[in-house]
Short mmCIF file of all heavy atoms in Angstrom, two decimals:
data_model
loop_
_atom_site.label_atom_id
_atom_site.label_comp_id
_atom_site.label_asym_id
_atom_site.label_seq_id
_atom_site.Cartn_x
_atom_site.Cartn_y
_atom_site.Cartn_z
N GLY Y 256 -146.80 -53.87 -66.21
CA GLY Y 256 -146.36 -52.55 -66.63
C GLY Y 256 -146.91 -52.11 -67.97
O GLY Y 256 -146.75 -50.95 -68.36
N LEU Y 257 -147.57 -53.04 -68.72
CA LEU Y 257 -148.09 -52.69 -70.05
C LEU Y 257 -149.17 -53.69 -70.43
O LEU Y 257 -149.04 -54.89 -70.17
CB LEU Y 257 -146.95 -52.75 -71.09
CG LEU Y 257 -147.36 -52.63 -72.56
CD1 LEU Y 257 -147.85 -51.21 -72.88
CD2 LEU Y 257 -146.20 -53.02 -73.49
N ILE Y 258 -150.24 -53.18 -71.04
CA ILE Y 258 -151.29 -54.03 -71.61
C ILE Y 258 -151.49 -53.63 -73.06
O ILE Y 258 -151.68 -52.45 -73.36
CB ILE Y 258 -152.62 -53.91 -70.85
CG1 ILE Y 258 -152.44 -54.27 -69.37
CG2 ILE Y 258 -153.68 -54.80 -71.48
CD1 ILE Y 258 -153.69 -54.05 -68.54
N VAL Y 259 -151.42 -54.62 -73.95
CA VAL Y 259 -151.68 -54.39 -75.38
C VAL Y 259 -152.86 -55.26 -75.79
O VAL Y 259 -152.90 -56.44 -75.46
CB VAL Y 259 -150.45 -54.75 -76.23
CG1 VAL Y 259 -150.78 -54.69 -77.72
CG2 VAL Y 259 -149.28 -53.82 -75.93
N VAL Y 260 -153.82 -54.67 -76.49
CA VAL Y 260 -154.95 -55.43 -77.04
C VAL Y 260 -154.86 -55.31 -78.56
O VAL Y 260 -155.20 -54.27 -79.13
CB VAL Y 260 -156.30 -54.89 -76.53
CG1 VAL Y 260 -157.45 -55.76 -77.04
CG2 VAL Y 260 -156.32 -54.84 -75.01
N ASP Y 261 -154.39 -56.37 -79.21
CA ASP Y 261 -154.24 -56.36 -80.67
C ASP Y 261 -155.59 -56.66 -81.32
O ASP Y 261 -156.36 -57.48 -80.81
CB ASP Y 261 -153.20 -57.40 -81.08
CG ASP Y 261 -152.83 -57.29 -82.55
OD1 ASP Y 261 -152.94 -56.18 -83.10
OD2 ASP Y 261 -152.41 -58.31 -83.14
N GLU Y 262 -155.86 -56.04 -82.46
CA GLU Y 262 -157.15 -56.20 -83.16
C GLU Y 262 -158.30 -55.99 -82.18
O GLU Y 262 -159.18 -56.82 -82.02
CB GLU Y 262 -157.25 -57.59 -83.81
CG GLU Y 262 -156.09 -57.96 -84.69
CD GLU Y 262 -156.02 -57.15 -85.99
OE1 GLU Y 262 -156.86 -56.26 -86.18
OE2 GLU Y 262 -155.10 -57.38 -86.78
N GLU Y 263 -158.28 -54.83 -81.51
CA GLU Y 263 -159.21 -54.59 -80.40
C GLU Y 263 -160.67 -54.65 -80.82
O GLU Y 263 -161.55 -54.83 -79.98
CB GLU Y 263 -158.91 -53.24 -79.75
CG GLU Y 263 -159.17 -52.02 -80.61
CD GLU Y 263 -160.60 -51.57 -80.60
OE1 GLU Y 263 -161.29 -51.81 -79.60
OE2 GLU Y 263 -161.06 -50.99 -81.61
N HIS Y 264 -160.95 -54.51 -82.12
CA HIS Y 264 -162.33 -54.51 -82.60
C HIS Y 264 -162.94 -55.89 -82.67
O HIS Y 264 -164.16 -56.05 -82.84
CB HIS Y 264 -162.36 -53.92 -84.03
CG HIS Y 264 -161.64 -54.79 -85.01
ND1 HIS Y 264 -160.28 -54.74 -85.20
CD2 HIS Y 264 -162.07 -55.79 -85.83
CE1 HIS Y 264 -159.92 -55.63 -86.10
NE2 HIS Y 264 -160.98 -56.29 -86.50
N ASP Y 265 -162.13 -56.94 -82.54
CA ASP Y 265 -162.58 -58.29 -82.85
C ASP Y 265 -163.66 -58.77 -81.88
O ASP Y 265 -163.50 -58.66 -80.66
CB ASP Y 265 -161.40 -59.26 -82.81
CG ASP Y 265 -161.69 -60.55 -83.55
OD1 ASP Y 265 -162.47 -61.35 -83.03
OD2 ASP Y 265 -161.14 -60.74 -84.65
N PRO Y 266 -164.77 -59.33 -82.38
CA PRO Y 266 -165.84 -59.83 -81.50
C PRO Y 266 -165.40 -60.96 -80.58
O PRO Y 266 -166.07 -61.23 -79.58
CB PRO Y 266 -166.92 -60.32 -82.49
CG PRO Y 266 -166.62 -59.63 -83.78
CD PRO Y 266 -165.13 -59.44 -83.80
N SER Y 267 -164.29 -61.63 -80.90
CA SER Y 267 -163.83 -62.74 -80.06
C SER Y 267 -163.45 -62.30 -78.66
O SER Y 267 -163.34 -63.14 -77.76
CB SER Y 267 -162.62 -63.44 -80.72
OG SER Y 267 -162.97 -63.96 -81.97
N TYR Y 268 -163.23 -61.02 -78.44
CA TYR Y 268 -162.91 -60.55 -77.10
C TYR Y 268 -164.12 -60.57 -76.17
O TYR Y 268 -163.98 -60.38 -74.97
CB TYR Y 268 -162.33 -59.13 -77.15
CG TYR Y 268 -160.89 -59.07 -77.60
CD1 TYR Y 268 -160.52 -58.35 -78.73
CD2 TYR Y 268 -159.89 -59.75 -76.91
CE1 TYR Y 268 -159.19 -58.30 -79.15
CE2 TYR Y 268 -158.58 -59.71 -77.32
CZ TYR Y 268 -158.22 -58.99 -78.43
OH TYR Y 268 -156.92 -58.95 -78.84
N LYS Y 269 -165.31 -60.79 -76.71
CA LYS Y 269 -166.53 -60.84 -75.90
C LYS Y 269 -166.86 -62.29 -75.59
O LYS Y 269 -167.07 -63.10 -76.49
CB LYS Y 269 -167.70 -60.18 -76.64
CG LYS Y 269 -169.00 -60.09 -75.83
CD LYS Y 269 -168.92 -59.01 -74.79
CE LYS Y 269 -170.30 -58.55 -74.32
NZ LYS Y 269 -171.02 -59.51 -73.49
N GLN Y 270 -166.89 -62.63 -74.31
CA GLN Y 270 -167.27 -63.97 -73.87
C GLN Y 270 -168.76 -64.17 -74.15
O GLN Y 270 -169.58 -63.30 -73.88
CB GLN Y 270 -166.98 -64.12 -72.38
CG GLN Y 270 -167.42 -65.43 -71.76
CD GLN Y 270 -166.48 -66.57 -72.06
OE1 GLN Y 270 -165.43 -66.37 -72.65
NE2 GLN Y 270 -166.86 -67.76 -71.68
N GLN Y 271 -169.12 -65.36 -74.67
CA GLN Y 271 -170.50 -65.57 -75.08
C GLN Y 271 -171.27 -66.52 -74.18
O GLN Y 271 -172.42 -66.87 -74.49
CB GLN Y 271 -170.54 -66.10 -76.52
CG GLN Y 271 -170.04 -65.09 -77.55
CD GLN Y 271 -170.83 -63.79 -77.56
OE1 GLN Y 271 -172.04 -63.79 -77.33
NE2 GLN Y 271 -170.15 -62.68 -77.79
N ASP Y 272 -170.68 -66.96 -73.09
CA ASP Y 272 -171.43 -67.75 -72.10
C ASP Y 272 -170.86 -67.46 -70.72
O ASP Y 272 -169.82 -66.84 -70.58
CB ASP Y 272 -171.37 -69.25 -72.41
CG ASP Y 272 -169.95 -69.76 -72.58
OD1 ASP Y 272 -169.03 -69.22 -71.94
OD2 ASP Y 272 -169.74 -70.72 -73.35
#
Side-chain angles (χ1 to χ4, degrees):
L257 171 69
I258 302 175
V259 173
V260 184
D261 189 27
E262 307 291 2
E263 66 83 28
H264 66 276
D265 199 287
S267 299
Y268 283 121
K269 184 75 159 71
Q270 176 78 6
Q271 294 301 326
D272 53 31

